[in-house]
Amino acid sequence: MARIGFIGLGNMGVPMAANLVKTGHTVQGFDLVPDNVAKAQARGVSAAVSASDAVKGIDVVITMLPAGKDTLAVWGGGILKAATPGTLFIDSSTIDVASAKAAHGLAAEAHMFSLDAPVSGGVGGAEAATLTFMCGGATDAFERAKPILESMGKRVVHCGEAGAGQAAKICNNMILGISMIGVCEAFVLAEKLGLSHQALYDVASTSSGQCWAITSYCPVPGPVPAAPSNNGYKAGFASALMLKDLKLAQEAASAAGGTTPLGAAAAQIYAMHNAWGEGATDFSGIIHLIRGKGR
Ligand code: NAD
């Protein structure tokens, strides 16, 4: 069993750290917010007094932070000096590809192993230990990380070299953002044509229009009982996080010369939805904007 330093004990970090404890690992955690550290402590994580304190005497560091600037600030802020050379550094935050590559560079300079390993599955997946990890980095780092990530997830995929995990994450979520808007447009058109939600679901969920946004996350109440649409569009996956990921996809496309007109349109539509005060609600609630009516 590994000794793990966990930095960033927010909505995702606390349940992820708790699942590491459940599977027998020793976890010492740190967050800037003392209340968040206390939540992790209540689930078996020992409290560190600083990020550098969290990485003393450990084998693996996991960071779960808001954005690329935070990962670079934490990795570049002393923990690479405080940890023993050869320690494995895993960043599971969703961040831009350029920052992910820069973080790998910092780790290499300090003679550490490193992996970018963002997740999909949300807070529910973090609680249930059913996350999917998309990993970028050298094969030896991946092989070392895999059994640890398996304590927190059900799928661990090696996507390629440094940054490839973040690239997979933002490409996947760009598909999701675009497809959710497409599904919402179809359900709202069905309403205008007098076609019931259930009838459209029954056809599209088993026909060529089938996609995850219909079968697992249907944006109208009824057809998929577990979908946030049946729970007042309580997140779920918050619209603010969808907008964040769509913006990351646009930044990456612009840097790489990619052509993503639908990704750009989806980012604009989610920006409008967020500006209307819907950032904290589930991203499938975009159906209200498509319908042109508030909730
Ligand atoms: P969160 O805001 O709840 O947690 C982030 C935590 O990092 C906070 O507790 C904050 O205090 C802490 N933090 C920030 N800077 C720090 C520093 N310098 N040192 C120590 N702690 C610091 O966010 P979250 O929902 O847990 O998401 C974390 C990451 O996972 C994000 O990159 C997000 O995009 C990604 N993600 C979230 C979800 C989701 O459904 N919430 C799903 C997939 C991916």
Side-chain angles (χ1 to χ4, degrees):
M1 285 299 144
R3 293 162 303 167
I4 300 170
F6 205 114
I7 301 167
L9 296 165
N11 294 323
M12 296 291 287
V14 167
M16 289 167 72
N19 283 326
L20 290 167
V21 172
K22 252 190 223 168
T23 47
H25 299 292
T26 304
V27 184
Q28 47 201 54
F30 175 71
D31 194 287
L32 291 177
V33 178
D35 274 0
N36 292 357
V37 179
K39 281 182 200 153
Q41 255 184 313
R43 298 180 69 171
V45 173
S46 65
V49 295
S50 65
S52 295
D53 185 40
V55 307
K56 281 198 189 120
I58 50 91
D59 313 302
V60 180
V61 178
I62 301 175
T63 47
M64 193 55 173
L65 299 161
K69 65 177 176 25
D70 304 304
T71 296
L72 289 176
V74 170
W75 283 36
I79 61 173
L80 286 162
K81 287 200 182 96
T84 313
T87 298
L88 171 61
F89 277 69
I90 303 172
D91 184 40
S92 282
S93 328
T94 301
I95 66 171
D96 59 289
V97 176
S99 296
K101 288 183 179 170
H104 279 279
L106 291 174
E109 272 170 31
H111 308 291
M112 305 293 179
F113 290 84
S114 59
L115 206 65
D116 52 292
V119 301
S120 80
V123 176
E127 283 290 353
T130 56
L131 295 169
T132 295
F133 285 88
M134 297 154 255
C135 305
T139 302
D140 48 6
F142 174 74
E143 292 303 336
R144 244 176 99 184
K146 195 166 181 267
I148 288 159
L149 300 180
E150 281 168 346
S151 295
M152 300 179 282
K154 66 173 182 346
R155 281 198 80 214
V156 181
V157 183
H158 193 196
C159 299
E161 291 301 317
Q166 297 295 349
K169 164 82 186 177
I170 57 174
C171 288
N172 178 73
N173 280 18
M174 188 176 79
I175 296 172
L176 179 60
I178 293 169
S179 60
M180 180 55 82
I181 293 169
V183 168
C184 290
E185 287 188 0
F187 274 94
V188 171
L189 177 60
E191 289 166 5
K192 293 204 181 295
L193 298 176
L195 177 65
S196 75
H197 291 160
Q198 191 63 47
L200 176 59
Y201 176 83
D202 289 345
V203 172
S205 63
T206 53
S207 303
S208 47
Q210 188 275 332
C211 63
W212 190 89
I214 292 182
T215 53
S216 296
Y217 227 76
C218 191
V220 293
V224 177
S229 53
N230 291 297
N231 190 22
Y233 297 91
K234 197 172 153 223
F237 184 52
S239 299
L241 287 175
M242 174 51 83
L243 178 60
K244 170 190 169 180
D245 293 356
L246 288 168
K247 283 181 173 169
L248 289 176
Q250 287 307 293
E251 269 173 50
S254 161
T259 308
T260 56
L262 288 181
Q268 287 291 326
I269 293 168
Y270 272 99
M272 210 185 296
H273 188 56
N274 276 253
W276 284 5
E278 294 288 345
T281 59
D282 190 75
F283 81 108
S284 61
I286 195 92
I287 194 160
H288 302 300
L289 184 146
I290 303 294
R291 205 182 265 128
K293 292 181 189 160
R295 282 192 283 145

